[in-house]
Amino acid sequence: MSFLSRLRPDNFTLALASTVILASVLPASGTFAEILEKVTSGVIVMLFFLHGSKLSRDAIWAGIGHWRLHLVVTLTTFAFFPLLGWLLQPLLKSVLPQELVLGVLFLCTLPATVQSAIALTAVARGNIPAAVCSASGSTLMGIVFTPLLVGLLLSHTATENTNPLDAVIKISVQLLLPFALGHFLRPWTQSWLQRLGNRLKVVDQGSILLVVYAAFSGAVVAGLWQQMPWTAMLSLFVICALLLSCSMLWCVWISRRLGFSIADEATILFCGAQKSLVSGIPMAKVLFTAAAVGPMVLPVMLFHPLQLMVSAVIAGRYGRKEANPPI
C-alpha cells in the first residue's frame, strides 16, 4: 500500500463530511427534529447494546493480566490528555471561538477507540489480546470518567452547569445499562452477531451518521456556521494535530522509559493516543443541550480521520519492523 493511499480518507470519514454538509443545507427542524431526537436516543441505546454484545469475555481474560500496559493506557487517556487540554487553554482561547475551546476540552476527556485501536495494533503486530482488553475497558471507564472530567475541565470555562455525578448517572442509564445488557445476553446473541458479520459495521456507522445529522441540524438552526469563521476551522485542525503529536510522542516515550517491548509499545500507542468518535458523539448528546452538541463534537470529528490516517502510516512501519527484526 502506497503512502498516499494510507493518507486517503476512508469511506466513513467521507460519509461524515457528507452528513455535515447535508445537515448544513437541509437541517432537521420543527416536528421532524423532535421525532429525530427520539429516534437518535433509541439508536444510541441499540449502539451500546451491540457494543456490549460484541465484547468477548475470553478476550478480556486473555489481556487483563497485562496490568502495567493497561495502567499506562488508562493514565494517557484520562490523565495525560485532560492535563494537556487544561495546559493548552490559553492557546485555545486565543485562536478558537469559545464553543470550539469547549469541544477540544471535551475531546480530551473521551475514552479510546475500540475497533480502530485493535485493527491498528494488528497491523503493527502488537499485543492484540491486551489491545482488546485495554480499548474495551477504556469505553467502560469513559462512562464514569468522561462526565467527571467534563465537570472539572468545563466548569471553569463554560456557562454549562453540568453536575458530574448527575452526568455519570445519566450516562450510566442511557449507555452503560444497554452495554451491560448486551454483554450479559452475549451467549444468546453471539451466533446472531456472527451471522450478521460485516453488516454490523453498517449498523454502527449508520447510527453515528444519524446522530451526527441530528446534532448538526440543531447547531445549524441555532446559527453555527454564521458564528464559525473558516480561520477557526483551520486553527482547530492545527490544534488537533498538536494534540495527536503530543499524545503519540508521550506514548512512545513512556513505553520505552518503562521498558515495554516493541509489540507492547505499539499497543500503548494505538490504544492510548486515540479518541473515540463512536463514544464521543452519544456522550455529547447526553451531556449537552441540542444546540451545543454540534460545535462540541466538531473537534472529535476532525481528530478522528486525522488519527486514523497518521496511525495507519505508523502502524505499517511498526509491522515492517516486527516482520524484519534487525539481525
Side-chain angles (χ1 to χ4, degrees):
M1 185 181 291
S2 68
F3 175 79
L4 288 178
S5 65
R6 289 196 189 98
L7 291 179
R8 186 180 57 204
D10 62 0
N11 292 334
F12 183 50
T13 298
L14 296 175
L16 277 172
S18 301
T19 301
V20 172
I21 293 171
L22 177 63
S24 301
V25 177
L26 295 172
S29 59
T31 305
F32 177 52
E34 294 175 6
I35 295 172
L36 189 61
E37 178 75 14
K38 295 177 182 177
V39 170
T40 53
S41 296
V43 162
I44 288 171
V45 169
M46 179 194 67
L47 186 65
F48 274 77
F49 176 84
L50 290 175
H51 284 331
S53 299
K54 289 185 288 185
L55 180 59
S56 166
R57 211 160 298 173
D58 292 338
I60 294 175
W61 290 117
I64 204 167
H66 211 336
W67 65 269
R68 290 176 68 246
L69 182 149
H70 303 316
L71 181 61
V72 172
V73 171
T74 300
L75 289 175
T76 299
T77 303
F78 297 114
F80 176 82
F81 258 109
L83 179 61
L84 181 60
W86 180 75
L87 291 173
L88 287 176
Q89 282 187 82
L91 172 63
L92 298 179
K93 291 176 181 178
S94 67
V95 298
L96 296 177
Q98 178 70 359
E99 297 89 344
L100 291 185
V101 172
L102 302 181
V104 172
L105 293 176
F106 175 64
L107 163 67
C108 291
T109 70
L110 292 176
T113 60
V114 179
Q115 288 94 335
S116 61
I118 296 168
L120 289 165
T121 300
V123 171
R125 298 176 183 265
N127 188 334
I128 297 175
V132 172
C133 181
S134 192
S136 302
S138 181
T139 298
L140 288 173
M141 287 185 284
I143 290 173
V144 175
F145 290 157
T146 293
L148 291 176
L149 289 168
V150 164
L152 288 172
L153 283 179
L154 274 64
S155 62
H156 302 295
T157 56
T159 56
E160 304 274 349
N161 293 315
T162 305
N163 185 319
L165 292 179
D166 287 347
V168 170
I169 294 171
K170 196 174 181 183
I171 282 187
S172 296
V173 170
Q174 297 190 35
L175 306 184
L176 181 58
L177 282 182
F179 189 99
L181 181 61
H183 188 63
F184 176 75
L185 295 177
R186 177 177 166 80
W188 294 275
T189 60
Q190 185 174 3
S191 59
W192 172 66
L193 293 174
Q194 287 175 344
R195 285 197 300 272
L196 286 176
N198 288 333
R199 281 174 287 183
L200 272 179
K201 187 177 181 181
V202 176
V203 175
D204 277 354
Q205 295 183 351
S207 301
I208 293 300
L209 293 176
L210 184 63
V211 176
V212 166
Y213 175 73
F216 272 87
S217 290
V220 169
V221 170
L224 171 66
W225 298 124
Q226 286 78 14
Q227 305 165 18
M228 205 69 64
W230 68 268
T231 51
M233 296 302 295
L234 182 60
S235 298
L236 179 61
F237 177 83
V238 173
I239 293 295
C240 287
L242 177 63
L243 288 173
L244 183 62
S245 300
C246 290
S247 61
M248 285 188 152
L249 288 171
W250 159 261
C251 287
V252 171
W253 179 82
I254 195 66
S255 298
R256 295 178 182 178
R257 182 79 175 177
L258 295 177
F260 284 101
S261 67
I262 292 296
D264 286 344
E265 178 185 310
T267 306
I268 291 169
L269 177 62
F270 299 121
C271 291
Q274 304 234 349
K275 290 295 184 178
S276 175
L277 178 73
V278 173
S279 295
I281 291 177
M283 285 181 176
K285 187 177 182 299
V286 173
L287 289 170
F288 307 108
T289 62
V293 172
M296 197 64 69
V297 300
L298 261 177
V300 69
M301 288 182 62
L302 193 56
F303 192 85
H304 171 78
L306 183 62
Q307 72 183 5
L308 291 184
M309 289 185 285
V310 173
S311 296
V313 175
I314 296 174
R317 291 180 179 177
Y318 269 97
R320 288 190 295 274
K321 188 186 297 185
E322 284 293 280
N324 301 290
I327 299 175

